[in-house]
Structures are given as C-alpha cells and as structure tokens.
Amino acid sequence: MIAQPLTILDHHYQELNNGGEDVIQGLSQNPKILSPKYFYDDPGSQLFEKICELPEYYPTRTEAWILQQYADEIAEITNCCELIELGSGSSTKTQVLLDAYQKIATSCRYVPIDVSGGILKTSVLQLQKKYPDFSIHGLLGTYEQALVHLESSYLQSRMLFFLGSSLGNFNPEECDSFLNQVSRTLQTGDFFLLGIDLQKPQDILEAAYNDSQEVTAAFNLNMLSHLNWRFQGDFDINLFRHQAIYNQVDHQIEMYLHCQKSHCVFLEVLGLKVDFEAGESILTEISRKFDLRTIETQLQSKGLNTVKTWTDEKGWFGLILCQV
C-alpha cells in the first residue's frame, strides 16, 4: 500500500480566504504588479508543462541535456543523500537524477516541493511506482514554508536543488534573501544544485516567451483566472493581452498583461476594487538572465562554494553544484 504522498505545509493555502495581502499591495500600486506564484494553480502548472515542450522554449531541453550528460557525475560527487527539490512540477527532468542515484544506492529519499497540489500529488504517486525502493514524499507549500519546515526536520546529508532557472524570478533583493535561507537550511557538507539561464541575444530570449502557439500567453492570462477562483474576482481575461520583452539594462525578461479597455475589477474576498485604464499594464514575472561568474561569487558569499559547473555547448544554460 502506497503511503500518503503529501504533507501540506499551510492548511489555509488553498482556501479561498487565504491571505492575498500581496495582491492588494501589488494591484494598488503604480505600476501594478502580481507575484508569479499565482501562475501555479493546477491549470497553470499544466500550461507550464506545455511551455516546456515548445520549440522556442530552450531552457527546459537545454537543462535536461546537461542533466543527461552529467547526472552520474553529480551522483558520484554527492554520494547517496536526501534529495530535495524546490518547485518540482512534474519532476520530469528530476528522473534523470533519480536514475543516476539509483545506480549508486539501493534506496534514496526524494522530497519534491511545489505549490500546485494536483500536479505534485500526481507526480509523487507516479514516482512511487517507478522507484519502489525510494522514499518519496511531497511537500505542498511555498519555497519559504518548505525551507522553514526542512530546518526543523533534518534527517541526513542532503542536496537541495532548484532547477529551471526559477532563481531568475526573484529580483536582486529577493534572490539575496532566498540564498540566505538556503544557506541557513543546509549544514556543513550539504550540497546545493542550481540551474540558471545565462545571458544571450535578445531575439532568442523574446521568442522563448512569446511563442507562436501562444501557450505562454494562455499561461500568463490564467493568472487572472486563478485570482478569480481564489478571491472570487471578476477579471475578464479577454480585456488583457500578453507581452514579454527583454530589458537589456537589467538583463531580464519582463512579462506583462496589457489592459485593452478601461474598466473596473472587484475581488470580493479581498474587498478590493481595482480601476484599470486602457494601456495600463500588470507586471506578472521577471526572468533574470545570469552571468556565470557573478552568480558563483554571490553563492560563495553565502557559504555555498562551487564544486563544479556544467554548461551546454552554446553556453546558454548553466548548472552549478555548490557545497556548504
């Protein structure tokens, strides 16, 4: 009999009356902004899986290639340890790592962490069947909640990993705070594996976030549908248009929802009325593109020292293995 697959870190997270202070703050300021965490309800997570398969969206397949080439080496360096993944999604790429660890250990512990309960439970159940000798248990919650939980439930040596260049969704201050929390969570000898998207020409970057099939547009607009469900809102997604641009000064993709017509939106649970002017925009995500040496220096300043770095042949994507 398969054990219960998930631990819910915040039982209030999926209730309609959950928080929303960040939504109130973000939609009350000028320019308006929303947290990318609201992308990831179950439909949003499914759309992101489709994005990862798009021909224009190079990050997933490039990182997957690096993992396929070097997963055995990563397993050899870290040896058998507790594997903890932040933002696991479907755990598709992770299976390359699990296969590598299966070669060096008869048993292993894998802890995927995600905010989307549906895709997390599905992936955990599938992995429990595929890797019956592994202990696999999901944590449902945000990165912050998960890292606090891990601090209080330390079991053995571990490798925390954060793939997909999700670090790029944090602004510099948030990135610094996140890496501080990672450093506090890990103990001497533990590992941190980080995937980062590297700087490259603007046309390649913008095509990756403005795909011809408009899957990324649907993903971006779904955020408004998620807010409608969670906070009983009345966003009309037909009144907004997706656009992603590359900010060459800050080296980051910026995803926007542009309002096409002046109107008012009401989020009943939050008691929030929001007026939109035609042409006004909501910033829904940034995706920073990194310089490899700069991020290695920042990691080192947090006590996360580079053991080895791998990139693809074009130098588009990097994988950094650090050790405390």
Side-chain angles (χ1 to χ4, degrees):
M1 182 177 179
I2 295 176
Q4 288 297 315
L6 302 182
T7 294
I8 300 174
L9 299 179
D10 180 355
H11 287 273
H12 299 291
Y13 179 77
Q14 293 194 335
E15 296 177 5
L16 286 175
N17 62 355
N18 170 63
E21 290 83 4
D22 55 348
V23 175
I24 296 172
Q25 181 179 357
L27 293 180
S28 300
Q29 66 184 50
N30 186 22
K32 293 178 171 62
I33 187 169
L34 287 169
S35 168
K37 75 181 183 184
Y38 291 107
F39 284 135
Y40 297 104
D41 60 351
D42 288 345
S45 295
Q46 291 164 5
L47 283 166
F48 184 72
E49 293 299 316
K50 292 182 179 179
I51 289 172
C52 293
E53 298 171 358
L54 293 170
E56 300 98 330
Y57 195 75
Y58 65 85
T60 300
R61 64 176 177 270
T62 307
E63 185 178 41
W65 182 88
I66 297 171
L67 285 170
Q68 287 161 1
Q69 299 299 312
Y70 302 109
D72 287 349
E73 186 177 354
I74 293 168
E76 289 172 6
I77 293 171
T78 63
N79 211 337
C80 183
C81 57
E82 182 181 36
L83 305 173
I84 302 164
E85 181 174 13
L86 296 172
S88 57
S90 65
S91 299
T92 302
K93 285 180 294 187
T94 309
Q95 294 181 49
V96 179
L97 277 173
L98 296 181
D99 289 343
Y101 282 95
Q102 197 171 41
K103 296 175 185 176
I104 65 169
T106 55
S107 65
C108 186
R109 176 173 167 82
Y110 170 53
V111 182
I113 297 162
D114 209 279
V115 294
S116 176
I119 198 167
L120 180 60
K121 183 175 182 179
T122 298
S123 63
V124 168
L125 291 173
Q126 290 173 345
L127 291 172
Q128 285 176 335
K129 292 178 181 178
K130 184 172 181 180
Y131 303 95
D133 295 330
F134 282 20
S135 169
I136 300 174
H137 188 90
L139 297 181
L140 176 60
T142 65
Y143 304 147
E144 295 83 2
Q145 291 165 349
L147 290 173
V148 169
H149 177 84
L150 293 171
E151 285 181 22
S152 63
S153 60
Y154 193 85
L155 293 175
Q156 62 188 78
S157 62
R158 59 171 46 141
M159 181 175 76
L160 184 68
F161 56 106
F162 197 34
L163 303 177
S165 198
S166 297
L167 186 71
N169 297 147
F170 299 144
N171 66 36
E173 293 76 19
E174 292 167 338
C175 179
D176 194 69
S177 176
F178 170 79
L179 292 177
N180 282 333
Q181 194 172 9
V182 167
S183 182
R184 288 195 303 270
T185 301
L186 300 177
Q187 297 189 12
T188 301
D190 286 346
F191 293 92
F192 179 48
L193 182 66
L194 178 65
I196 53 168
D197 199 5
L198 302 177
Q199 295 169 14
K200 58 186 65 65
Q202 180 177 357
D203 58 335
I204 296 169
L205 288 165
E206 290 190 345
Y209 294 84
N210 294 291
D211 64 277
S212 59
Q213 298 179 47
E214 299 186 349
V215 181
T216 310
F219 172 72
N220 200 5
L221 288 163
N222 180 72
M223 178 184 280
L224 304 183
S225 298
H226 184 192
L227 294 180
N228 282 346
W229 171 79
R230 187 171 294 282
F231 302 115
Q232 296 180 23
D234 59 0
F235 275 105
D236 182 348
I237 66 173
N238 295 313
L239 296 181
F240 291 86
R241 180 177 59 83
H242 158 81
Q243 184 187 29
I245 62 170
Y246 184 56
N247 179 331
Q248 297 188 65
V249 175
D250 295 327
H251 301 291
Q252 63 188 28
I253 283 285
E254 297 171 356
M255 288 223 309
Y256 292 96
L257 290 172
H258 299 301
C259 177
Q260 304 299 291
K261 176 183 176 182
S262 297
H263 68 290
C264 179
V265 170
F266 184 61
L267 298 168
E268 183 176 346
V269 169
L270 302 179
L272 179 65
K273 178 182 176 183
V274 186
D275 292 315
F276 286 92
E277 298 294 331
E280 190 175 7
S281 300
I282 310 172
L283 175 65
T284 55
E285 182 182 54
I286 63 169
S287 183
R288 296 166 61 212
K289 308 305 172 186
F290 296 96
D291 173 78
L292 197 56
R293 302 304 167 219
T294 302
I295 191 65
E296 285 182 332
T297 300
Q298 184 176 7
L299 289 164
Q300 186 175 18
S301 74
K302 308 300 180 185
L304 302 167
N305 300 307
T306 300
V307 175
K308 195 155 187 179
T309 299
W310 302 272
T311 63
D312 60 289
E313 294 174 346
K314 295 180 179 178
W316 281 7
F317 204 94
L319 203 60
I320 306 173
L321 180 63
C322 307
Q323 188 173 27
V324 179

